[in-house]
Amino acid sequence: MFPPPHKERLFKNRNRLKASREVESVDLPNCHLIKGIEAGSEDIDILPNGLAFFSVGLKCPGLHSFAPDKPGGILMMDLKEENPRALELRISRGFNLASFNPHGISTFIDSDNTVYLFVVNHPEFKNTVEIFKFEEEENSLLHLKTIKHELLPSVNDIIAVGPAHFYATNDHYFSDPFLKYLETYLNLHWTNVVYYSPDEVKVVAEGFDSANGINISPDKKYIYVADILAHEIHVLEKHPNMNLTQFKVLKLDTLVDNLSIDPSSGDILVGCHPNGQKLFVYDPNNPPSSEVLRIQNILSEKPTVTTVYANNGSVLQGSSVASVYDRKLLIGTLYHRALYCQL
């Protein structure tokens, strides 16, 4: 007997969400929750000088929020300080702060040492990419440009490769909420990676279930893409014309969200959701768990995958990113707190 098609699909979708998975705790000794982050820090990017940027307060239709009426923002923390604190960066006048809804972020340092911060933004649940210039003396962001494009219908994450140049993931093919739901339910594998520059915008990789986190290898030769519902990290070779070709796929047993690079080793740190069902159907008595993986030698035949941190939701719910700088680890979440650990 075969199950009826919808039952089979439900079973497959439960597996995509890892709906029955529980985690064993893997604790780190020197950790504390970061004061001032209560409603998510979906993405984190750290500059080579130890300044960390946090994207906070993301809201999505159907997703839980602990601060539904508060706009999102960008926080900064100086990891060179003894006891670093998270401070909100001021944003230049003229930028619509009330509808600011930041998602994936990426920094780019130009040859003249100008620091640009790229932010995926969902004002009124639309899709834009905002480019800011970071003014370190004033602890502020100067808004330079808003980018909208038909090839960016459902942007999730971004990796900057120039002052106005980036790769971005679309986690859905459609922008309409009902069509998004249908597309995910039917498992269409229509999501993609787009390259954007002022001169050219193009799809450079496609066929993902739900393309999510994106980053670049230290030698700039490879792009890494997390496919969250397929539980995979794709390694794509980058060509001089900015096109990408598939190099390899690493299969994991968890929903992989954002990818960060450890600058000291080139390892990939992955913020993961062990159980997507708990993440999307929020129950305070059975909260989503957290998991951080470290991937060493991803280009080799057998990469080493280790669990750096895991928690059942009692401390940290819904980890989406982990970034490291000089033996300090930051773990952000989709809609909960953030953790600072000394390794």
Side-chain angles (χ1 to χ4, degrees), residues 309-324:
Y309 176 82
N311 179 263
N312 62 6
S314 59
V315 176
L316 200 66
Q317 303 176 10
S319 56
S320 55
V321 63
S323 289
V324 73

Side-chain angles (χ1 to χ4, degrees), residues 204-225:
V204 287
E206 54 195 334
F208 302 95
D209 188 340
S210 185
N212 198 296
I214 188 167
N215 217 313
I216 192 166
S217 62
D219 63 8
K220 314 290 186 223
K221 289 181 183 172
Y222 298 94
I223 296 287
Y224 306 135
V225 177

Side-chain angles (χ1 to χ4, degrees), residues 36-88:
I37 299 178
E38 320 276 326
S41 48
E42 199 276 340
D43 204 6
I44 299 169
D45 201 13
I46 308 176
L47 291 173
N49 65 1
L51 291 180
F53 296 91
F54 297 75
S55 153
V56 301
L58 174 67
K59 287 160 218 62
C60 298
L63 193 69
H64 181 71
S65 172
F66 285 107
D69 302 320
K70 190 172 180 240
I74 301 293
L75 271 51
M76 190 186 77
M77 198 172 190
D78 186 349
L79 297 178
K80 291 194 306 303
E81 290 179 3
E82 188 72 21
N83 297 300
R85 293 179 310 134
L87 306 166
E88 184 152 7

Side-chain angles (χ1 to χ4, degrees), residues 42-43 212-213 226 228 233 252 254-260 268-274 279 289-295 308-309 316 318-323 329-334:
E42 199 276 340
D43 204 6
N212 198 296
I228 186 166
I233 296 174
L252 297 161
T254 186
L255 282 74
V256 282
D257 201 326
N258 285 317
L259 309 173
S260 301
I268 304 173
L269 285 158
V270 195
C272 304
H273 307 288
L279 187 72
S289 43
S290 292
E291 184 176 39
V292 173
L293 301 180
R294 177 183 287 273
I295 297 160
V308 176
Y309 176 82
L316 200 66
S319 56
S320 55
V321 63
S323 289
L329 174 70
L330 300 172
I331 307 173
T333 63
L334 193 53

Side-chain angles (χ1 to χ4, degrees), residues 16 35 38-39 57 73 78 81 88 91 95 97 116 129 131 133 149 168 222 248 251 276 289 295 301-302 304 325 329:
R16 285 160 81 208
K35 198 170 183 296
E38 320 276 326
D78 186 349
E81 290 179 3
E88 184 152 7
I91 296 179
F95 181 74
L97 290 171
Y116 297 95
V129 172
I131 304 180
K133 181 183 170 193
H149 197 276
Y222 298 94
K248 73 176 290 188
K251 292 197 173 300
S289 43
I295 297 160
E301 280 294 297
K302 285 208 167 157
T304 310
Y325 172 85
L329 174 70

Side-chain angles (χ1 to χ4, degrees), residues 13-316:
N13 283 338
R14 278 186 63 81
N15 188 44
R16 285 160 81 208
L17 290 171
K18 293 280 172 198
S20 52
R21 186 164 173 235
E22 302 290 340
V23 291
E24 292 289 317
S25 277
V26 176
D27 288 320
L28 290 167
N30 303 311
C31 294
H32 65 261
L33 293 164
I34 297 171
K35 198 170 183 296
I37 299 178
E38 320 276 326
S41 48
E42 199 276 340
D43 204 6
I44 299 169
D45 201 13
I46 308 176
L47 291 173
N49 65 1
L51 291 180
F53 296 91
F54 297 75
S55 153
V56 301
L58 174 67
K59 287 160 218 62
C60 298
L63 193 69
H64 181 71
S65 172
F66 285 107
D69 302 320
K70 190 172 180 240
I74 301 293
L75 271 51
M76 190 186 77
M77 198 172 190
D78 186 349
L79 297 178
K80 291 194 306 303
E81 290 179 3
E82 188 72 21
N83 297 300
R85 293 179 310 134
L87 306 166
E88 184 152 7
L89 293 177
R90 286 187 312 112
I91 296 179
S92 58
R93 269 190 235 164
F95 181 74
N96 188 340
L97 290 171
S99 67
F100 192 31
N101 190 9
H103 197 166
I105 59 174
S106 178
T107 52
F108 180 79
I109 305 173
D110 214 349
S111 50
D112 62 0
N113 286 330
T114 303
V115 175
Y116 297 95
L117 180 70
F118 291 63
V119 181
V120 175
N121 186 18
H122 304 294
E124 284 133 21
F125 302 136
K126 296 184 178 72
N127 288 270
T128 65
V129 172
E130 313 293 348
I131 304 180
F132 298 94
K133 181 183 170 193
F134 173 52
E135 313 268 15
E136 193 172 345
E137 290 72 37
E138 287 91 51
N139 276 348
S140 69
L141 295 169
L142 175 66
H143 184 247
L144 302 176
K145 189 173 183 182
T146 295
I147 292 166
K148 296 177 194 168
H149 197 276
E150 62 184 6
L151 290 181
L152 299 169
S154 186
V155 193
N156 184 299
D157 196 18
I158 188 167
I159 178 72
V161 291
H165 310 66
F166 57 83
Y167 289 98
T169 54
N170 284 301
D171 54 20
H172 289 80
Y173 178 81
F174 296 107
S175 47
D176 175 81
F178 177 70
L179 292 177
K180 279 186 175 186
Y181 167 77
L182 207 61
E183 166 196 351
T184 303
Y185 180 70
L186 295 173
N187 196 1
L188 294 178
H189 280 80
W190 283 2
T191 77
N192 59 27
V193 177
V194 169
Y195 172 70
Y196 180 96
S197 74
D199 309 317
E200 182 181 33
V201 186
K202 58 186 177 181
V203 174
V204 287
E206 54 195 334
F208 302 95
D209 188 340
S210 185
N212 198 296
I214 188 167
N215 217 313
I216 192 166
S217 62
D219 63 8
K220 314 290 186 223
K221 289 181 183 172
Y222 298 94
I223 296 287
Y224 306 135
V225 177
D227 188 339
I228 186 166
L229 293 176
H231 323 132
E232 294 170 345
I233 296 174
H234 291 246
V235 180
L236 304 156
E237 200 168 343
K238 182 162 88 65
H239 301 286
N241 63 2
M242 307 312 270
N243 286 347
L244 303 176
T245 50
Q246 181 99 298
F247 179 76
K248 73 176 290 188
V249 179
L250 178 66
K251 292 197 173 300
L252 297 161
D253 188 38
T254 186
L255 282 74
V256 282
D257 201 326
N258 285 317
L259 309 173
S260 301
I261 310 301
D262 182 340
S264 66
S265 61
D267 296 351
I268 304 173
L269 285 158
V270 195
C272 304
H273 307 288
N275 184 322
Q277 179 84 9
K278 293 185 188 184
L279 187 72
F280 297 122
V281 184
Y282 186 76
D283 173 0
N285 300 313
N286 187 16
S289 43
S290 292
E291 184 176 39
V292 173
L293 301 180
R294 177 183 287 273
I295 297 160
Q296 293 164 280
N297 306 317
I298 193 160
L299 300 177
S300 69
E301 280 294 297
K302 285 208 167 157
T304 310
V305 180
T306 47
T307 305
V308 176
Y309 176 82
N311 179 263
N312 62 6
S314 59
V315 176
L316 200 66

